[in-house]
Amino acid sequence: MSDVTFLNWPFFEPRHRELAAVIEDWAAAHLPVDHSDVDAACRGLVAALGQKGLLQHTAGDALDVRSLCLTREILARHDGLADFAFAMQGLGMGAVSLFGSPEQRQWLDRTRAGTAIAGFALTEPGSGSDVAQTATVAEAVQGGYRLTGEKTYISNGGIADVYVIIARTGEAPGARGLSAFLLPADAPGLEVVERIDVMAPHPLAHLRLTDVTLPRSALIGRSGDGFKIAMSVLDVFRSTVGAAALGFARRALDEALARVARVRAGGGSLSEHQMVQGHIADMAVQIDAAALLIYRAAWTKDTGAARITREAAMAKLYATEAAQRVIDTALQLHGGDGVRRGFAVESLYREIRALRIYEGASDVQRIVIARSVLGASS
Ligand code: COS
């Protein structure tokens, strides 16, 4: 059982401890699922999480970031695909939760119930880190918009029922000329042109839009606010990526502790060796430091901060980079078994890698943090 003493930190309220217990019980009974068909696995996970009421926190008027982080952390500790399925319901509909009209919010009932799957279509072949370069065009036409362009590395691409898409409406060059739209997956002209296979497989696709026509009511928030909408969504969900990394790291430490207690070397257990103890100590410190940054960011947002850009960037940067180191150490402590399929540390090693890239790569987080720190000192 992982360390849960952090739940006593002042960041949490009794309802968070109750939620953690519910998720833990559900996860222990249902995870991991079979990953051999990731589409079927994700559909099943979204439906099961929805039926149990565990997707309630993924959408709504007030996103409770602590609840999102706790859920991601616990699910990730049990099964990375379950964390993915949960998180995408939130990220996919994040713009609708924060800025959607009453009509658009009807989708939230379905994504929370687990009867519709959501995706966030932001990244393009020519704009990954630099969102201001978005090239997909949304041209104003009679009664609405016509969208043309390409989106890539879109999670849930291929199985989503609905996407939020960021496209250029052209009010100004760069970041100030983008808008957000609600895009049903069955819109004529939207195609999945490639399914992308990655080292920790999950539904992922390249999408093409050819003259996709959307009504004016598909615009989320105000025309020209798409960049700020995307960044506001990322501010919330970047902390939760850190939380998923934290869940992976906690699992790696648990696996390492079991291993060093069991394996004998030099007349005693591995855990009696000071060099091993040093590794365990370093892992534990990094895990607590990551947790402090994550729940600091989440608490700051939940208690009323308008923006947590700096806190969320710090949480994501530190937690994902630290989890990579913790998992690498856990793998090393497993010897040859560490790289062998079927061992948890082998899959954790693959699962963690993308988290240092998606929703803002580590160097993007460094840029965001440095701008904030330099801005504050000038
Ligand atoms: N919340 C609200 N508004 C924000 C914001 C935030 N977090 N961050 C920036 N803005 C606003 C700025 O205040 C600025 O507003 P004004 O034009 O009124 O001054 C505007 O948005 C443009 O901001 P900025 O000048 O910082 O834009 P940049 O193009 O320099 O942004 C980064 C650069 C790298 C920060 C941005 O492109 C980014 O986060 N990239 C990573 C994208 C990403 O995570 N992709 C992964 C997708 S997987 S879902």
Side-chain angles (χ1 to χ4, degrees), residues 91 120 122-123 128-132 153 175-176 227-229 231-232 234-235 238 307 309 357-361 364-365 367-368 371:
L91 179 71
F120 186 35
L122 175 62
T123 299
S129 292
D130 192 358
V131 175
Y153 291 111
R176 292 183 180 173
F227 184 91
K228 290 183 187 178
I229 291 173
M231 291 300 134
S232 303
L234 290 171
D235 277 357
R238 277 176 180 161
R307 273 178 68 170
T309 307
I357 299 170
Y358 71 60
E359 287 182 50
V364 167
Q365 309 307 334
I367 291 169
V368 170
R371 280 183 185 176

Side-chain angles (χ1 to χ4, degrees), residues 39-345:
D39 288 6
C42 283
R43 286 195 179 99
L45 282 162
V46 169
L49 287 163
Q51 276 159 22
K52 180 69 185 167
L54 300 180
L55 297 174
Q56 285 306 313
H57 290 292
T58 58
D61 295 340
L63 292 169
D64 187 68
V65 189
R66 288 167 294 176
S67 297
L68 289 169
C69 288
L70 274 174
T71 308
R72 287 201 70 173
E73 173 182 342
I74 296 168
L75 293 178
R77 182 153 49 72
H78 288 269
D79 184 351
L81 208 54
D83 162 60
F84 169 84
F86 171 85
M88 284 313 303
Q89 294 300 93
L91 179 71
M93 285 292 99
V96 178
S97 286
L98 299 178
F99 301 97
S101 66
E103 184 195 334
Q104 292 163 348
R105 302 181 88 77
Q106 289 174 13
W107 273 102
L108 303 183
D109 296 335
R110 295 183 56 197
T111 58
R112 272 190 301 220
T115 55
I117 294 180
F120 186 35
L122 175 62
T123 299
E124 298 188 356
S127 71
S129 292
D130 192 358
V131 175
Q133 295 290 322
T134 294
T136 294
V137 169
E139 183 193 349
V141 293
Q142 181 77 27
Y145 298 88
R146 187 166 55 222
L147 278 71
T148 301
E150 311 235 342
K151 294 284 175 180
T152 195
Y153 291 111
I154 305 307
S155 288
N156 277 343
I159 68 164
D161 298 290
V162 62
Y163 300 93
V164 165
I165 183 166
I166 304 295
R168 181 162 299 285
T169 35
E171 293 76 4
R176 292 183 180 173
L178 305 178
S179 298
F181 297 92
L182 191 62
L183 171 66
D186 59 3
L190 173 63
E191 314 164 70
V192 174
V193 288
E194 185 192 356
R195 292 296 301 267
I196 304 170
D197 193 15
V198 287
M199 63 199 282
H202 60 269
L204 192 66
H206 186 115
L207 308 178
R208 179 173 300 141
L209 296 95
T210 311
D211 295 333
V212 174
T213 304
L214 292 177
R216 200 172 291 136
S217 60
L219 177 71
I220 301 171
R222 287 189 319 213
S223 186
D225 277 355
F227 184 91
K228 290 183 187 178
I229 291 173
M231 291 300 134
S232 303
V233 170
L234 290 171
D235 277 357
V236 170
F237 285 94
R238 277 176 180 161
S239 319
T240 80
V241 179
L246 175 62
F248 291 146
R250 284 197 201 279
R251 175 63 181 271
L253 177 59
D254 292 347
E255 297 290 331
L257 290 173
R259 178 82 183 189
V260 299
R262 196 171 58 242
V263 171
R264 299 191 66 75
S269 71
L270 263 187
S271 61
E272 290 165 35
H273 292 261
Q274 277 196 350
M275 213 168 322
V276 171
Q277 292 172 359
H279 289 310
I280 298 292
D282 287 346
M283 294 163 92
V285 171
Q286 292 179 85
I287 285 172
D288 273 11
L292 283 162
L293 283 170
I294 290 160
Y295 291 110
R296 186 267 298 249
W299 173 86
T300 304
K301 181 73 182 159
D302 292 343
T303 52
R307 273 178 68 170
I308 53 161
T309 307
R310 184 179 74 126
E311 292 86 348
M314 284 185 174
K316 182 184 187 280
L317 172 65
Y318 184 80
T320 56
E321 295 286 335
Q324 181 86 64
R325 293 190 294 270
V326 167
I327 293 167
D328 190 57
T329 305
L331 187 151
Q332 192 75 11
L333 290 170
H334 276 69
D337 288 344
V339 292
R340 192 165 163 186
R341 288 208 187 265
F343 280 78
V345 288

